[in-house]
Amino acid sequence: MPTSLSGRHFLRLLDFTTEEIEYLLKLSREFKNLKLTGTPHRYLEGKNIVLLFQKTSTRTRCAFEVGAMDLGMGVTYLDPGSSQMGKKESIEDTARVLGRFYDGIEFRGFAQTDVEELAANAGVPVWNGLTNEWHPTQMLADILTMQENFNYDIKGKTFVFMGDAANNVARSLMVVCSKLGVNFVACGPKENMPDAELVKTCEAIAAENGSTVKLTEDIKDACTGAHVIYADVWVSMGEPDEVWAERIRLLEPYRVTKEVMAMADPSAIFLHCLPSFHDTNTTIGADIAERFGVTEMEVEDEVFESKQSKVFDEAENRMHTIKAVMYATLS
């Protein structure tokens, strides 16, 4: 039976089968080819979507806006100050209003319960652009980039996340790798490992797909022979400034360096969901350098700018994969 995701929400990848995820990735490749060849694909002409942002973003907003316009849709962007949701109007009431105006709703914010409440009340597909718990659209871009670099043969490859493995990106990567038969390794301090119950769930999923899940504090154990080394910022959006000192103390040993990349397979690539603190050319980067003497955080600039780094391919792929999600759920 052909895969159909029509009318579905896209809130977390745990809700999707291996076949459904593979279908979205295949669709993403098709949309990327259409974009690169300049072939019009306004397949959703006349539809409209709204982007609800509690947390600002460059890639997520641009990927949804350009992707939607390529598909022929109209787009409304509501930044944190442009909506009464959660202030003067409940999430439930906001969902019921927006569901009358729009064909789809994207939410990027804090609590997973917020996007779930939107989905429960909107009557139209709702897409999770990021919450504190999950980042499903990023995962599709990450995996598409991995596929492109390994001739679309990723089953049995090893994917290592370095650093704060308790965050939304690491949790989501563990899920998608398990679903697709990719060996997942979380490498970081024991204080920053994924929730034990989620690990147990992913271990069972991975076993069904012929792969493994491993948690380790040992960098050599994690990275030797790995095919993907992945890093993310050490302090996530919305976390208090006071956590920087402790995170730097805990995570500095897990910075991705050229020595780390040398442990990996010769064909290994480096990925990062961006933005990245690989130098001091940002206000936060400069502030951290002044306060703590750290000029490179989760990844060395030499690695970030190397040929192994595919971070900008990965960023572009957000657009193609998000387009696939919107098309699949709105068709």
Side-chain angles (χ1 to χ4, degrees):
M1 180 182 292
T3 301
S4 174
L5 302 180
S6 182
R8 292 271 298 274
H9 302 300
F10 192 74
L11 308 184
R12 57 178 197 161
L13 288 175
L14 277 172
D15 301 328
F16 290 81
T17 66
T18 296
E19 292 72 26
E20 288 169 339
I21 294 169
E22 288 174 339
Y23 165 70
L24 287 171
L25 289 164
K26 181 175 182 292
L27 196 55
S28 301
R29 296 198 297 272
E30 292 172 0
F31 277 125
K32 186 169 186 175
N33 288 333
L34 291 174
K35 181 77 170 178
L36 294 178
T37 57
T39 306
H41 44 283
R42 297 175 66 84
Y43 302 148
L44 298 179
E45 190 89 52
K47 292 186 182 294
N48 295 283
I49 66 167
V50 60
L51 313 181
L52 282 174
F53 275 55
Q54 292 176 336
K55 291 184 178 182
T56 57
S57 169
T58 300
R59 278 152 297 282
T60 302
R61 176 181 176 180
C62 294
F64 269 100
E65 288 195 349
V66 175
M69 289 186 283
D70 280 354
L71 290 168
M73 294 192 286
V75 183
T76 300
Y77 171 70
L78 294 177
D79 65 24
S82 299
S83 168
Q84 295 299 331
M85 186 179 74
K87 299 189 287 282
K88 292 183 178 179
E89 185 169 53
S90 68
I91 293 172
E92 178 183 358
D93 288 355
T94 300
R96 291 190 288 184
V97 169
L98 295 178
R100 300 285 186 101
F101 293 168
Y102 295 96
D103 300 287
I105 300 171
E106 183 271 353
F107 174 82
R108 179 182 170 92
F110 296 93
Q112 180 72 13
T113 52
D114 287 352
V115 75
E116 289 172 355
E117 189 169 358
L118 279 171
N121 293 283
V124 297
V126 173
W127 311 298
N128 180 1
L130 175 142
T131 61
N132 291 342
E133 289 85 357
W134 303 108
H135 199 359
T137 60
Q138 179 66 52
M139 297 308 99
L140 295 180
D142 297 341
I143 295 298
L144 178 60
T145 309
M146 184 182 181
Q147 287 181 329
E148 290 171 341
N149 282 275
F150 293 99
N151 197 30
Y152 300 94
D153 180 19
I154 63 171
K155 194 173 177 66
K157 296 288 192 294
T158 298
F159 194 115
V160 180
F161 182 93
M162 295 278 285
D164 179 14
N167 77 9
N168 53 1
V169 171
R171 286 163 47 87
S172 300
L173 284 169
M174 184 167 62
V175 170
V176 76
C177 286
S178 300
K179 293 270 187 178
L180 296 176
V182 175
N183 300 315
F184 177 79
V185 182
C187 183
K190 62 181 182 297
E191 297 92 333
N192 295 79
M193 286 296 174
D195 172 73
E197 197 60 39
L198 179 62
V199 172
K200 186 177 178 181
T201 297
C202 288
E203 286 175 337
I205 296 170
E208 292 174 2
N209 293 298
S211 60
T212 59
V213 172
K214 180 164 71 173
L215 314 182
T216 181
E217 296 180 77
D218 188 321
I219 296 169
K220 187 175 181 180
D221 178 45
C223 297
T224 299
H227 300 91
V228 178
I229 307 292
Y230 196 110
D232 191 13
V233 293
W234 290 346
V235 176
S236 297
M237 254 181 154
E239 292 190 283
D241 191 57
E242 294 74 35
V243 306
W244 273 110
E246 179 67 3
R247 290 289 171 79
I248 289 171
R249 182 186 72 79
L250 285 170
L251 299 176
E252 196 164 10
Y254 297 95
R255 177 180 295 117
V256 179
T257 64
K258 58 183 179 297
E259 290 79 15
V260 168
M261 294 303 298
M263 297 176 193
D265 187 89
S267 64
I269 61 174
F270 171 75
L271 297 180
H272 192 302
C273 54
L274 302 181
S276 169
F277 295 118
H278 58 97
D279 54 30
T280 59
N281 296 333
T282 60
T283 55
I284 292 177
D287 177 59
I288 295 301
E290 183 176 341
R291 289 165 59 195
F292 301 103
V294 177
T295 58
E296 299 164 309
M297 286 186 259
E298 67 277 1
V299 58
E300 272 186 345
D301 189 60
E302 185 175 345
V303 172
F304 187 88
E305 298 293 352
S306 72
K307 289 182 179 179
Q308 288 176 291
S309 176
K310 306 298 178 183
V311 298
F312 296 108
D313 294 342
E314 182 185 7
E316 178 196 338
N317 282 339
R318 288 295 304 284
M319 173 177 61
H320 307 303
T321 53
I322 282 171
K323 193 182 296 185
V325 169
M326 292 190 293
Y327 174 79
T329 55
L330 292 181
S331 293

